[in-house]
């Protein structure tokens, strides 16, 4: 959803610093197809089915680097590092000859997104340059950090947004000019999205981009854990170093608005019957015997009036809404903005997970975060757990909370389309 507020401008030299780098890219002559070696971001891959599908798509699919499979975490990281070294030696992945920024375009029948891929100087949230809006899970950061240490590579760009003035000027002007040239490559992935990439190496174009971005702040749309990982790894390397920067995709959402979708929860060890019984009349519950699309429409209607969730996993859908106001007052902290207290994710994590079900929200054994709606329902039904389907949050709510320095519960939003993994990597030792 497009935020209608003004362009976000901050003093020059306090804003975004995007730096060229020598992109590491697949040699199209050495792989079956560029589409076959790409993957969704690591946290969007539905495991194990999606992982196996990607591994079988091409022996060089990027998923072998971002989600290596071995018996122990250390073995996984070493496997990824070894695979990367082998692909570099064999010419599967090749570094571009000169540093540049990259214009990246994704499109399908309903959306066109263009942005800039580069190495962004890292900054703490207190600097107000890159704004996080979600909490993070410590073990995920530790996992990503170990993988980046082993490979010395940023393999997937984070998705960041900034607010230009809506016109083709500055960085956006360079983006638009680049798309008039022949791309470095063009491919279409099996989800129907076309992907094109251009290099921006002209010093004047790079300077025009950098001068414009220096006046802007960015919102982390996707990649909070990778950003937190970048910050952790920066502390391990004396500055100045390549670890002072991280790979990102920057999109001007005044010109190219993103989609905002929900991220659903799968409660592994809580059957639907137990989840509903524990509510004990403190929410209204209605059983729906309709297909998934109609159940989601009912969820949207209920969410327009207040907090609402859709439970699944027992062959039916259960619309859960109208929480007891006294329950919310007792369980939700009053020292946060009203916009935060009223979030569905806040009610789910603070009221339901912590107080009603008493489940640890940071334990993979108890809870999984899944982007695909149908996959969440299918896994719940197969495993005997509870799928909690969420309604998306509006982008303006996310941005306003981020500006106030208020983080939302983890995995509250899914902005997209997300950049495909595998199109351009950043090796920190080049």
């Amino acid at each position: 959803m497009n935020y209608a507020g003004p362009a976000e401008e901050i003093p020059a030299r306090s804003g975004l610093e995007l730096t060229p780098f020598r992109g590491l890219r697949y040699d199209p002559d050495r792989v079956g197809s560029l589409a076959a070696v790409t993957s969704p971001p690591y946290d969007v891959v539905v495991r194990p089915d999606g992982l196996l599908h990607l591994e079988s798509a091409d022996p060089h699919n990027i998923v072998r680097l971002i989600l290596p499979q071995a018996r122990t975490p250390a073995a996984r990281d070493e496997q990824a590092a070894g695979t990367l070294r082998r692909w570099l030696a064999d010419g599967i992945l090749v570094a571009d000859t000169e540093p540049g920024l990259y214009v990246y375009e994704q499109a399908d029948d309903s959306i066109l997104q263009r942005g800039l891929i580069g190495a962004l100087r890292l900054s703490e949230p207190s600097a107000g340059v890159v704004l996080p809006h979600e909490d993070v899970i410590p073990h995920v950061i530790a996992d990503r950090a170990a993988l980046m240490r082993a490979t010395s590579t940023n393999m997937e760009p984070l998705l960041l947004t900034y607010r230009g003035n809506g016109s083709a000027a500055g960085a956006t002007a360079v983006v638009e000019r680049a798309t008039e040239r022949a791309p470095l490559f063009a491919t279409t992935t099996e989800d129907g999205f076309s992907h094109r990439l251009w290099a921006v190496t002209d010093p004047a174009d790079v300077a025009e981009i950098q001068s414009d971005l220096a006046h802007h702040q960015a919102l982390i749309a996707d990649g909070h854990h990778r950003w937190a990982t970048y910050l952790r790894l920066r502390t391990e390397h004396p500055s100045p170093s390549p670890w002072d920067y991280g790979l990102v995709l920057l999109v001007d959402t005044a010109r190219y608005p993103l989609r905002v979708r929900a991220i659903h929860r799968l409660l592994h060890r809580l059957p639907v019957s137990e989840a509903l019984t524990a509510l004990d009349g403190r929410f209204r519950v209605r059983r729906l015997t309709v297909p998934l699309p109609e159940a989601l429409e009912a969820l949207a209607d209920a969410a327009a009036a207040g907090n609402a969730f859709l439970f699944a996993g027992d062959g039916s859908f259960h619309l859960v809404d109208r929480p007891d106001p006294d329950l919310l007052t007792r369980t939700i902290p009053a020292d946060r903005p009203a916009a935060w207290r009223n979030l569905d994710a806040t009610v789910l994590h603070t009221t339901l997970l912590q107080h009603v079900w008493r489940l640890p929200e940071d334990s993979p054994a108890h809870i999984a975060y899944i982007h695909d709606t149908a996959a969440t329902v299918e896994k719940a039904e197969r495993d005997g757990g509870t799928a909690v389907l969420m309604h998306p949050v509006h982008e303006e709510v996310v941005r306003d909370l981020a500006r106030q320095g208020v983080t939302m519960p983890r995995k509250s939003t899914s902005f997209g389309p997300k950049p495909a993994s595998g199109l351009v990597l950043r090796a920190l030792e080049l």
Side-chain angles (χ1 to χ4, degrees):
M1 181 164 300
N2 191 13
Y3 176 65
E8 295 165 352
E9 290 222 1
I10 59 179
R13 289 186 288 200
S14 300
L16 302 167
E17 182 183 326
L18 196 65
T19 301
F21 69 102
R22 291 177 60 198
L24 198 60
R25 298 188 291 113
Y26 282 98
D27 181 344
D29 295 329
R30 302 298 306 275
V31 297
S33 73
L34 290 175
V37 295
T38 65
S39 165
Y42 79 96
D43 58 338
V44 180
V45 175
V46 177
R47 288 164 268 188
D49 299 347
L51 181 64
L52 294 173
H53 174 73
L54 291 165
E55 287 180 332
S56 62
D58 188 284
H60 302 109
N61 189 284
I62 192 67
V63 78
R64 297 181 184 275
L65 298 182
I66 63 175
L67 288 174
Q69 299 300 296
R71 290 186 178 275
T72 68
R76 291 196 296 268
D77 298 334
E78 180 51 41
Q79 181 183 86
T83 299
L84 178 59
R85 288 193 297 267
R86 187 168 62 254
W87 289 359
L88 289 170
D90 293 345
I92 303 300
L93 288 169
V94 180
D96 286 334
T97 56
E98 59 182 321
L101 302 175
Y102 296 85
V103 172
Y104 175 47
E105 176 189 276
Q106 291 172 272
D108 68 1
D109 293 338
S110 61
I111 194 169
L112 171 67
Q113 176 180 291
R114 288 172 176 163
L116 286 159
I117 295 177
L120 185 69
R121 180 177 286 278
L122 305 179
S123 61
E124 297 291 338
S126 58
V129 177
V130 176
L131 305 175
H133 70 267
E134 288 185 354
D135 291 333
V136 292
I137 305 171
H139 76 79
V140 177
I141 298 170
D143 175 78
R144 291 294 101 184
L147 181 63
M148 285 191 205
R149 284 191 204 99
T151 60
S152 293
T153 302
N154 298 157
M155 296 189 217
E156 304 177 273
L158 284 65
L159 176 59
L160 306 186
T161 72
Y162 71 100
R163 300 292 304 173
N165 60 14
S167 65
T172 301
V174 179
V175 169
E176 301 300 323
R177 291 198 301 268
T179 60
E180 295 173 358
R181 298 186 272 109
L184 294 174
F185 66 75
T187 190
T188 300
T189 45
E190 64 180 11
D191 58 4
F193 270 93
S194 65
H195 306 262
R196 298 197 294 171
L197 193 78
W198 296 262
V200 177
T201 57
D202 182 86
D205 286 339
V206 172
E208 185 174 355
I209 290 169
Q210 292 176 328
S211 176
D212 182 10
L213 294 179
H215 295 272
H216 291 286
Q217 63 182 181
L219 175 74
I220 301 177
D222 185 70
H224 283 80
H225 289 90
R226 281 166 283 167
W227 183 259
T229 300
Y230 289 166
L231 294 177
R232 173 181 291 189
L233 294 175
R234 180 182 63 169
T235 67
E236 301 175 4
H237 298 83
S239 185
S241 83
W243 297 89
D244 293 338
Y245 298 81
L247 186 64
V248 305
L249 167 64
L250 271 170
V251 175
D252 176 2
T253 53
R255 190 158 181 86
Y256 296 106
L258 301 182
R259 296 170 178 156
V260 186
R261 291 176 172 165
I263 301 176
H264 309 296
R265 277 66 171 159
L266 175 60
L267 310 179
H268 296 294
R269 301 180 180 181
L270 184 68
V272 175
S273 59
E274 294 182 16
L276 293 173
T277 299
L279 297 182
D280 192 25
R282 292 173 289 187
F283 286 74
R284 181 175 70 168
V285 179
R286 288 175 287 167
R287 184 169 179 269
L288 307 178
T289 54
V290 296
L292 177 58
E294 292 182 31
L296 292 174
E297 290 178 6
L299 173 62
D301 290 341
N307 300 119
F309 311 92
L310 197 64
F311 292 5
D314 62 353
S316 298
F317 296 105
H318 306 269
L319 185 60
V320 178
D321 64 356
R322 296 188 183 179
D324 178 0
D326 291 337
L327 174 66
L328 301 185
T329 299
R330 292 196 309 272
T331 57
I332 295 178
D335 60 348
R336 302 288 187 92
W340 181 88
R341 298 197 305 271
N342 293 330
L343 290 171
D344 288 339
T346 297
V347 173
L348 174 60
H349 283 257
T350 305
T351 301
L352 289 173
L353 286 175
Q354 293 181 20
H355 292 273
V356 174
W357 296 325
R358 299 187 182 280
L359 295 176
E361 61 180 339
D362 58 353
S363 169
H366 289 85
I367 184 169
Y369 300 85
I370 304 177
H371 293 71
D372 185 274
T373 307
T376 310
V377 175
E378 290 169 5
K379 288 178 72 66
E381 291 181 343
R382 183 174 61 202
D383 301 340
T386 295
V388 181
L389 307 184
M390 310 283 288
H391 188 68
V393 181
H394 296 315
E395 182 180 351
E396 59 263 32
V397 174
V398 176
R399 195 176 299 274
D400 287 345
L401 286 172
R403 285 176 178 154
Q404 297 176 60
V406 177
T407 55
M408 300 166 64
R410 60 197 60 173
K411 300 293 185 181
S412 294
T413 57
S414 175
F415 286 86
K418 303 178 190 304
S421 298
L423 298 182
V424 59
L425 291 71
R426 174 178 174 251
L428 281 84
E429 297 178 350
L430 289 179

